[in-house]
PDB file of all heavy atoms in Angstrom:
ATOM      1  N   LEU A1489      -8.418   0.157  14.939  1.00 98.00           N
ATOM      2  CA  LEU A1489      -8.031   1.568  14.974  1.00 98.00           C
ATOM      3  C   LEU A1489      -8.669   2.270  16.166  1.00 98.00           C
ATOM      4  O   LEU A1489      -8.029   3.081  16.847  1.00 98.00           O
ATOM      5  CB  LEU A1489      -8.436   2.265  13.664  1.00 98.00           C
ATOM      6  CG  LEU A1489      -7.653   1.837  12.411  1.00 98.00           C
ATOM      7  CD1 LEU A1489      -8.291   2.418  11.148  1.00 98.00           C
ATOM      8  CD2 LEU A1489      -6.187   2.265  12.510  1.00 98.00           C
ATOM      9  N   GLU A1490      -9.933   1.934  16.435  1.00 98.00           N
ATOM     10  CA  GLU A1490     -10.607   2.550  17.582  1.00 98.00           C
ATOM     11  C   GLU A1490      -9.906   2.187  18.883  1.00 98.00           C
ATOM     12  O   GLU A1490      -9.775   3.005  19.791  1.00 98.00           O
ATOM     13  CB  GLU A1490     -12.065   2.086  17.638  1.00 98.00           C
ATOM     14  CG  GLU A1490     -12.982   2.951  16.802  1.00 98.00           C
ATOM     15  CD  GLU A1490     -14.322   2.271  16.541  1.00 98.00           C
ATOM     16  OE1 GLU A1490     -14.767   1.457  17.390  1.00 98.00           O
ATOM     17  OE2 GLU A1490     -14.919   2.529  15.469  1.00 98.00           O
ATOM     18  N   ARG A1491      -9.430   0.977  18.948  1.00 98.00           N
ATOM     19  CA  ARG A1491      -8.765   0.529  20.167  1.00 98.00           C
ATOM     20  C   ARG A1491      -7.385   1.169  20.306  1.00 98.00           C
ATOM     21  O   ARG A1491      -6.958   1.540  21.404  1.00 98.00           O
ATOM     22  CB  ARG A1491      -8.654  -0.997  20.121  1.00 98.00           C
ATOM     23  CG  ARG A1491      -8.373  -1.639  21.446  1.00 98.00           C
ATOM     24  CD  ARG A1491      -8.552  -3.139  21.378  1.00 98.00           C
ATOM     25  NE  ARG A1491      -7.871  -3.747  22.511  1.00 98.00           N
ATOM     26  CZ  ARG A1491      -8.453  -3.985  23.672  1.00 98.00           C
ATOM     27  NH1 ARG A1491      -9.738  -3.713  23.832  1.00 98.00           N
ATOM     28  NH2 ARG A1491      -7.771  -4.506  24.668  1.00 98.00           N
ATOM     29  N   PHE A1492      -6.688   1.290  19.177  1.00 98.00           N
ATOM     30  CA  PHE A1492      -5.313   1.806  19.189  1.00 98.00           C
ATOM     31  C   PHE A1492      -5.279   3.331  19.344  1.00 98.00           C
ATOM     32  O   PHE A1492      -4.350   3.889  19.920  1.00 98.00           O
ATOM     33  CB  PHE A1492      -4.623   1.392  17.889  1.00 98.00           C
ATOM     34  CG  PHE A1492      -3.175   1.797  17.796  1.00 98.00           C
ATOM     35  CD1 PHE A1492      -2.197   1.127  18.522  1.00 98.00           C
ATOM     36  CD2 PHE A1492      -2.791   2.862  16.986  1.00 98.00           C
ATOM     37  CE1 PHE A1492      -0.869   1.509  18.438  1.00 98.00           C
ATOM     38  CE2 PHE A1492      -1.458   3.243  16.894  1.00 98.00           C
ATOM     39  CZ  PHE A1492      -0.493   2.568  17.615  1.00 98.00           C
ATOM     40  N   ARG A1493      -6.269   4.009  18.791  1.00 98.00           N
ATOM     41  CA  ARG A1493      -6.371   5.474  18.796  1.00 98.00           C
ATOM     42  C   ARG A1493      -5.118   6.149  18.239  1.00 98.00           C
ATOM     43  O   ARG A1493      -4.366   6.811  18.965  1.00 98.00           O
ATOM     44  CB  ARG A1493      -6.689   6.014  20.198  1.00 98.00           C
ATOM     45  CG  ARG A1493      -7.957   5.423  20.794  1.00 98.00           C
ATOM     46  CD  ARG A1493      -8.571   6.300  21.860  1.00 98.00           C
ATOM     47  NE  ARG A1493      -9.207   7.489  21.310  1.00 98.00           N
ATOM     48  CZ  ARG A1493     -10.411   7.503  20.750  1.00 98.00           C
ATOM     49  NH1 ARG A1493     -11.113   6.389  20.660  1.00 98.00           N
ATOM     50  NH2 ARG A1493     -10.916   8.629  20.287  1.00 98.00           N
ATOM     51  N   PRO A1494      -4.903   6.011  16.932  1.00 98.00           N
ATOM     52  CA  PRO A1494      -3.728   6.644  16.315  1.00 98.00           C
ATOM     53  C   PRO A1494      -3.873   8.164  16.252  1.00 98.00           C
ATOM     54  O   PRO A1494      -4.993   8.684  16.282  1.00 98.00           O
ATOM     55  CB  PRO A1494      -3.728   6.057  14.890  1.00 98.00           C
ATOM     56  CG  PRO A1494      -5.161   5.773  14.598  1.00 98.00           C
ATOM     57  CD  PRO A1494      -5.756   5.338  15.932  1.00 98.00           C
ATOM     58  N   ASP A1495      -2.723   8.825  16.151  1.00 98.00           N
ATOM     59  CA  ASP A1495      -2.713  10.271  15.915  1.00 98.00           C
ATOM     60  C   ASP A1495      -2.613  10.588  14.427  1.00 98.00           C
ATOM     61  O   ASP A1495      -2.736  11.744  14.019  1.00 98.00           O
ATOM     62  CB  ASP A1495      -1.523  10.904  16.650  1.00 98.00           C
ATOM     63  CG  ASP A1495      -1.575  10.626  18.141  1.00 98.00           C
ATOM     64  OD1 ASP A1495      -2.601  10.945  18.761  1.00 98.00           O
ATOM     65  OD2 ASP A1495      -0.602  10.047  18.677  1.00 98.00           O
ATOM     66  N   PHE A1496      -2.345   9.554  13.622  1.00 99.00           N
ATOM     67  CA  PHE A1496      -2.193   9.729  12.169  1.00 99.00           C
ATOM     68  C   PHE A1496      -2.433   8.368  11.529  1.00 99.00           C
ATOM     69  O   PHE A1496      -1.982   7.355  12.051  1.00 99.00           O
ATOM     70  CB  PHE A1496      -0.765  10.215  11.848  1.00 99.00           C
ATOM     71  CG  PHE A1496      -0.645  10.953  10.537  1.00 99.00           C
ATOM     72  CD1 PHE A1496      -0.371  12.316  10.532  1.00 99.00           C
ATOM     73  CD2 PHE A1496      -0.799  10.293   9.323  1.00 99.00           C
ATOM     74  CE1 PHE A1496      -0.264  13.015   9.336  1.00 99.00           C
ATOM     75  CE2 PHE A1496      -0.698  10.981   8.131  1.00 99.00           C
ATOM     76  CZ  PHE A1496      -0.428  12.352   8.133  1.00 99.00           C
ATOM     77  N   LEU A1497      -3.160   8.369  10.412  1.00 99.00           N
ATOM     78  CA  LEU A1497      -3.419   7.117   9.693  1.00 99.00           C
ATOM     79  C   LEU A1497      -2.746   7.156   8.319  1.00 99.00           C
ATOM     80  O   LEU A1497      -2.968   8.088   7.536  1.00 99.00           O
ATOM     81  CB  LEU A1497      -4.929   6.908   9.531  1.00 99.00           C
ATOM     82  CG  LEU A1497      -5.377   5.679   8.713  1.00 99.00           C
ATOM     83  CD1 LEU A1497      -4.840   4.378   9.302  1.00 99.00           C
ATOM     84  CD2 LEU A1497      -6.912   5.620   8.619  1.00 99.00           C
ATOM     85  N   VAL A1498      -1.915   6.152   8.063  1.00 99.00           N
ATOM     86  CA  VAL A1498      -1.269   5.989   6.763  1.00 99.00           C
ATOM     87  C   VAL A1498      -1.850   4.726   6.123  1.00 99.00           C
ATOM     88  O   VAL A1498      -1.972   3.695   6.794  1.00 99.00           O
ATOM     89  CB  VAL A1498       0.269   5.850   6.914  1.00 99.00           C
ATOM     90  CG1 VAL A1498       0.924   5.570   5.564  1.00 99.00           C
ATOM     91  CG2 VAL A1498       0.865   7.109   7.541  1.00 99.00           C
ATOM     92  N   VAL A1499      -2.221   4.807   4.863  1.00 99.00           N
ATOM     93  CA  VAL A1499      -2.705   3.628   4.150  1.00 99.00           C
ATOM     94  C   VAL A1499      -1.681   3.236   3.089  1.00 99.00           C
ATOM     95  O   VAL A1499      -1.277   4.081   2.281  1.00 99.00           O
ATOM     96  CB  VAL A1499      -4.075   3.899   3.480  1.00 99.00           C
ATOM     97  CG1 VAL A1499      -4.494   2.705   2.601  1.00 99.00           C
ATOM     98  CG2 VAL A1499      -5.151   4.158   4.541  1.00 99.00           C
ATOM     99  N   ALA A1500      -1.239   1.984   3.127  1.00 99.00           N
ATOM    100  CA  ALA A1500      -0.392   1.441   2.067  1.00 99.00           C
ATOM    101  C   ALA A1500      -1.351   0.973   0.972  1.00 99.00           C
ATOM    102  O   ALA A1500      -1.972  -0.084   1.070  1.00 99.00           O
ATOM    103  CB  ALA A1500       0.458   0.293   2.594  1.00 99.00           C
ATOM    104  N   SER A1501      -1.501   1.825  -0.055  1.00 99.00           N
ATOM    105  CA  SER A1501      -2.610   1.688  -0.991  1.00 99.00           C
ATOM    106  C   SER A1501      -2.180   0.965  -2.269  1.00 99.00           C
ATOM    107  O   SER A1501      -1.959   1.599  -3.302  1.00 99.00           O
ATOM    108  CB  SER A1501      -3.177   3.082  -1.311  1.00 99.00           C
ATOM    109  OG  SER A1501      -4.216   2.988  -2.262  1.00 99.00           O
ATOM    110  N   GLY A1502      -2.084  -0.350  -2.176  1.00 98.00           N
ATOM    111  CA  GLY A1502      -1.899  -1.144  -3.384  1.00 98.00           C
ATOM    112  C   GLY A1502      -3.239  -1.273  -4.095  1.00 98.00           C
ATOM    113  O   GLY A1502      -4.283  -1.350  -3.453  1.00 98.00           O
ATOM    114  N   LEU A1503      -3.200  -1.262  -5.418  1.00 98.00           N
ATOM    115  CA  LEU A1503      -4.437  -1.398  -6.193  1.00 98.00           C
ATOM    116  C   LEU A1503      -4.453  -2.742  -6.921  1.00 98.00           C
ATOM    117  O   LEU A1503      -5.134  -2.909  -7.936  1.00 98.00           O
ATOM    118  CB  LEU A1503      -4.566  -0.226  -7.178  1.00 98.00           C
ATOM    119  CG  LEU A1503      -4.451   1.167  -6.527  1.00 98.00           C
ATOM    120  CD1 LEU A1503      -4.663   2.267  -7.559  1.00 98.00           C
ATOM    121  CD2 LEU A1503      -5.424   1.324  -5.365  1.00 98.00           C
ATOM    122  N   ASP A1504      -3.710  -3.711  -6.374  1.00 98.00           N
ATOM    123  CA  ASP A1504      -3.597  -5.013  -7.027  1.00 98.00           C
ATOM    124  C   ASP A1504      -4.587  -6.047  -6.488  1.00 98.00           C
ATOM    125  O   ASP A1504      -4.539  -7.217  -6.869  1.00 98.00           O
ATOM    126  CB  ASP A1504      -2.155  -5.547  -6.974  1.00 98.00           C
ATOM    127  CG  ASP A1504      -1.495  -5.333  -5.632  1.00 98.00           C
ATOM    128  OD1 ASP A1504      -2.187  -4.939  -4.681  1.00 98.00           O
ATOM    129  OD2 ASP A1504      -0.269  -5.554  -5.538  1.00 98.00           O
ATOM    130  N   ALA A1505      -5.518  -5.614  -5.608  1.00 98.00           N
ATOM    131  CA  ALA A1505      -6.638  -6.496  -5.260  1.00 98.00           C
ATOM    132  C   ALA A1505      -7.811  -6.242  -6.209  1.00 98.00           C
ATOM    133  O   ALA A1505      -8.926  -6.688  -5.959  1.00 98.00           O
ATOM    134  CB  ALA A1505      -7.064  -6.278  -3.809  1.00 98.00           C
ATOM    135  N   SER A1506      -7.558  -5.528  -7.292  1.00 97.00           N
ATOM    136  CA  SER A1506      -8.635  -5.271  -8.254  1.00 97.00           C
ATOM    137  C   SER A1506      -8.949  -6.529  -9.052  1.00 97.00           C
ATOM    138  O   SER A1506      -8.123  -7.431  -9.170  1.00 97.00           O
ATOM    139  CB  SER A1506      -8.239  -4.146  -9.213  1.00 97.00           C
ATOM    140  OG  SER A1506      -7.561  -4.663 -10.338  1.00 97.00           O
ATOM    141  N   MET A1507     -10.142  -6.556  -9.635  1.00 95.00           N
ATOM    142  CA  MET A1507     -10.597  -7.737 -10.374  1.00 95.00           C
ATOM    143  C   MET A1507      -9.813  -7.967 -11.669  1.00 95.00           C
ATOM    144  O   MET A1507      -9.907  -9.035 -12.263  1.00 95.00           O
ATOM    145  CB  MET A1507     -12.085  -7.600 -10.689  1.00 95.00           C
ATOM    146  CG  MET A1507     -12.413  -6.414 -11.565  1.00 95.00           C
ATOM    147  SD  MET A1507     -14.199  -6.279 -11.836  1.00 95.00           S
ATOM    148  CE  MET A1507     -14.276  -4.859 -12.915  1.00 95.00           C
ATOM    149  N   ASN A1508      -9.043  -6.975 -12.100  1.00 96.00           N
ATOM    150  CA  ASN A1508      -8.310  -7.127 -13.358  1.00 96.00           C
ATOM    151  C   ASN A1508      -6.812  -7.289 -13.165  1.00 96.00           C
ATOM    152  O   ASN A1508      -6.059  -7.223 -14.130  1.00 96.00           O
ATOM    153  CB  ASN A1508      -8.553  -5.897 -14.247  1.00 96.00           C
ATOM    154  CG  ASN A1508      -9.968  -5.869 -14.798  1.00 96.00           C
ATOM    155  OD1 ASN A1508     -10.535  -6.927 -15.090  1.00 96.00           O
ATOM    156  ND2 ASN A1508     -10.553  -4.699 -14.925  1.00 96.00           N
ATOM    157  N   ASP A1509      -6.364  -7.495 -11.928  1.00 97.00           N
ATOM    158  CA  ASP A1509      -4.918  -7.513 -11.709  1.00 97.00           C
ATOM    159  C   ASP A1509      -4.299  -8.844 -12.124  1.00 97.00           C
ATOM    160  O   ASP A1509      -4.829  -9.905 -11.785  1.00 97.00           O
ATOM    161  CB  ASP A1509      -4.598  -7.237 -10.236  1.00 97.00           C
ATOM    162  CG  ASP A1509      -3.155  -6.808 -10.062  1.00 97.00           C
ATOM    163  OD1 ASP A1509      -2.890  -5.584 -10.138  1.00 97.00           O
ATOM    164  OD2 ASP A1509      -2.296  -7.694  -9.894  1.00 97.00           O
ATOM    165  N   PRO A1510      -3.176  -8.804 -12.830  1.00 96.00           N
ATOM    166  CA  PRO A1510      -2.546 -10.059 -13.250  1.00 96.00           C
ATOM    167  C   PRO A1510      -1.811 -10.788 -12.130  1.00 96.00           C
ATOM    168  O   PRO A1510      -1.506 -11.972 -12.261  1.00 96.00           O
ATOM    169  CB  PRO A1510      -1.561  -9.607 -14.342  1.00 96.00           C
ATOM    170  CG  PRO A1510      -1.259  -8.186 -14.013  1.00 96.00           C
ATOM    171  CD  PRO A1510      -2.512  -7.627 -13.394  1.00 96.00           C
ATOM    172  N   LEU A1511      -1.527 -10.112 -11.005  1.00 96.00           N
ATOM    173  CA  LEU A1511      -0.772 -10.760  -9.925  1.00 96.00           C
ATOM    174  C   LEU A1511      -1.636 -11.147  -8.738  1.00 96.00           C
ATOM    175  O   LEU A1511      -1.181 -11.864  -7.848  1.00 96.00           O
ATOM    176  CB  LEU A1511       0.366  -9.850  -9.451  1.00 96.00           C
ATOM    177  CG  LEU A1511       1.500  -9.633 -10.443  1.00 96.00           C
ATOM    178  CD1 LEU A1511       2.628  -8.822  -9.797  1.00 96.00           C
ATOM    179  CD2 LEU A1511       2.052 -10.960 -10.946  1.00 96.00           C
ATOM    180  N   GLY A1512      -2.853 -10.663  -8.661  1.00 98.00           N
ATOM    181  CA  GLY A1512      -3.739 -11.004  -7.550  1.00 98.00           C
ATOM    182  C   GLY A1512      -4.945 -11.756  -8.066  1.00 98.00           C
ATOM    183  O   GLY A1512      -5.231 -11.749  -9.264  1.00 98.00           O
ATOM    184  N   ARG A1513      -5.655 -12.387  -7.160  1.00 97.00           N
ATOM    185  CA  ARG A1513      -6.861 -13.143  -7.543  1.00 97.00           C
ATOM    186  C   ARG A1513      -8.053 -12.677  -6.722  1.00 97.00           C
ATOM    187  O   ARG A1513      -8.830 -13.459  -6.217  1.00 97.00           O
ATOM    188  CB  ARG A1513      -6.612 -14.653  -7.356  1.00 97.00           C
ATOM    189  CG  ARG A1513      -5.554 -15.212  -8.278  1.00 97.00           C
ATOM    190  CD  ARG A1513      -5.980 -15.157  -9.744  1.00 97.00           C
ATOM    191  NE  ARG A1513      -4.911 -15.587 -10.646  1.00 97.00           N
ATOM    192  CZ  ARG A1513      -4.052 -14.771 -11.243  1.00 97.00           C
ATOM    193  NH1 ARG A1513      -4.113 -13.474 -11.039  1.00 97.00           N
ATOM    194  NH2 ARG A1513      -3.124 -15.250 -12.054  1.00 97.00           N
ATOM    195  N   MET A1514      -8.156 -11.344  -6.553  1.00 97.00           N
ATOM    196  CA  MET A1514      -9.264 -10.759  -5.821  1.00 97.00           C
ATOM    197  C   MET A1514     -10.197 -10.040  -6.794  1.00 97.00           C
ATOM    198  O   MET A1514      -9.914  -9.963  -7.985  1.00 97.00           O
ATOM    199  CB  MET A1514      -8.740  -9.810  -4.744  1.00 97.00           C
ATOM    200  CG  MET A1514      -7.872 -10.495  -3.691  1.00 97.00           C
ATOM    201  SD  MET A1514      -8.660 -11.948  -2.930  1.00 97.00           S
ATOM    202  CE  MET A1514      -8.114 -11.762  -1.232  1.00 97.00           C
TER     203      MET A1514
END
Side-chain angles (χ1 to χ4, degrees):
L1489 291 171
E1490 273 164 29
R1491 197 169 162 91
F1492 183 74
R1493 304 203 73 79
D1495 302 305
F1496 204 111
L1497 176 58
V1498 176
V1499 174
S1501 177
L1503 307 183
D1504 42 10
S1506 89
M1507 62 182 182
N1508 289 325
D1509 198 89
L1511 292 186
R1513 295 294 175 266
M1514 298 308 218

